[in-house]
Amino acid sequence: MLRQDVPLLLLEAVLFPGSKLPLTVFEERDKQLLEDCLNGDRRLGVTLLKRPPTVDKPAEFCEIGTLARVVHAEITPENQIAVILRGEQRFRVVEIVQYEPYWIGRVEILPNRFSFISPQLTHLANRLSAMLFRYIELREIADKLALADMMLPTDLISLGYRIGALLDVPLHEKQELLEVDDINELLLRELEILNREIKRLQQSAFWHQFV
């Protein structure tokens, strides 16, 4: 697999390929990372922070993350750096090759694969799309989403990642979705989550009418 060295941002967020992540950084090491990134190829790695560093222990993070590109950056009046990152490809951190002034990881790019392609898979994708619109409707967030987010992609890989990004579930559950290599398995897991979340939201709406 292709390996490369990339600066790593350890965040309390999960970024999926094809999705965008607005971010404001204020810590000096992260600002230095972004400044160097902007002066270079504007690419960096984003991975979920599991445990922040302590005096005697380094930070713990998830090995699977997403290679991202800085598509917008500006300096705020508070001298912080506000950026928008766009996810591109999944990766696995093989090793950390630099710790100061910020972390650089040697990563290998992860491919996506299909275990099978069938008419049932297309039916599953259509069902997921319909359920996602219902989920967005129940969450009452349609007016908060950009038009691009409401226009679901037609290819299955991008659809799976778009659903993962839009799901409002715990970060560990999002991370589990990001780590799935097989697209068929990813779509089936998202079907289970959407079924669960739609039922929960419907029950909440039912009882809310009596409040």
Side-chain angles (χ1 to χ4, degrees):
M1 293 184 181
L2 177 65
R3 293 187 176 184
Q4 54 187 285
D5 294 350
V6 296
L8 295 177
L9 269 180
L10 311 184
L11 303 175
E12 293 183 1
V14 176
L15 176 64
F16 287 86
S19 298
K20 292 182 179 179
L21 176 67
L23 179 70
T24 301
V25 302
F26 54 88
E27 293 187 4
E28 288 303 319
R29 63 182 294 151
D30 291 340
K31 289 169 65 176
Q32 181 65 57
L33 184 157
L34 284 173
E35 288 173 1
D36 292 348
C37 178
L38 291 169
N39 289 327
D41 62 4
R42 303 174 75 92
R43 301 178 83 194
L44 51 85
V46 173
T47 185
L48 176 63
L49 177 67
K50 295 168 65 175
R51 186 185 59 79
T54 60
V55 175
D56 56 345
K57 291 183 179 181
E60 293 183 6
F61 61 94
C62 295
E63 292 182 352
I64 306 298
T66 300
L67 195 64
R69 186 178 299 274
V70 180
V71 296
H72 175 79
E74 62 182 53
I75 305 296
T76 71
E78 297 79 17
N79 199 34
Q80 301 173 347
I81 302 180
V83 298
I84 297 177
L85 307 178
R86 184 181 65 228
E88 295 186 341
Q89 296 172 288
R90 297 183 314 132
F91 65 74
R92 182 191 306 276
V93 179
V94 178
E95 61 179 321
I96 302 299
V97 297
Q98 173 183 302
Y99 288 93
E100 297 295 339
Y102 48 78
W103 286 26
I104 292 181
R106 181 156 296 150
V107 306
E108 57 183 19
I109 303 301
L110 298 176
N112 299 302
R113 63 176 184 270
F114 292 90
S115 58
F116 63 89
I117 300 177
S118 67
Q120 287 78 14
L121 186 59
T122 302
H123 175 72
L124 172 60
N126 292 335
R127 185 179 175 191
L128 276 168
S129 298
M131 292 181 67
L132 181 63
F133 283 124
R134 178 57 175 154
Y135 173 73
I136 291 173
E137 179 184 29
L138 287 168
R139 284 189 59 207
E140 300 179 346
I141 60 170
D143 58 335
K144 301 177 184 178
L145 296 177
L147 180 60
D149 291 326
M150 295 295 291
M151 297 176 62
L152 298 182
T154 55
D155 70 282
L156 298 178
I157 295 176
S158 298
L159 175 63
Y161 290 147
R162 177 68 59 80
I163 293 173
L166 290 175
L167 285 172
D168 183 20
V169 295
L171 288 176
H172 71 85
E173 195 165 15
K174 278 181 172 282
Q175 180 67 27
E176 290 172 358
L177 294 175
L178 180 68
E179 294 181 3
V180 176
D181 291 326
D182 185 84
I183 298 304
N184 305 278
E185 181 183 348
L186 174 62
L187 297 180
L188 287 171
R189 287 196 188 186
E190 290 175 338
L191 179 64
E192 293 179 0
I193 295 173
L194 280 171
N195 268 319
R196 182 194 72 202
E197 291 300 299
I198 287 174
K199 288 179 181 178
R200 181 183 63 81
L201 290 167
Q202 287 174 331
Q203 290 174 349
S204 177
F206 174 78
W207 289 111
H208 184 72
Q209 65 182 323
F210 298 107
V211 177

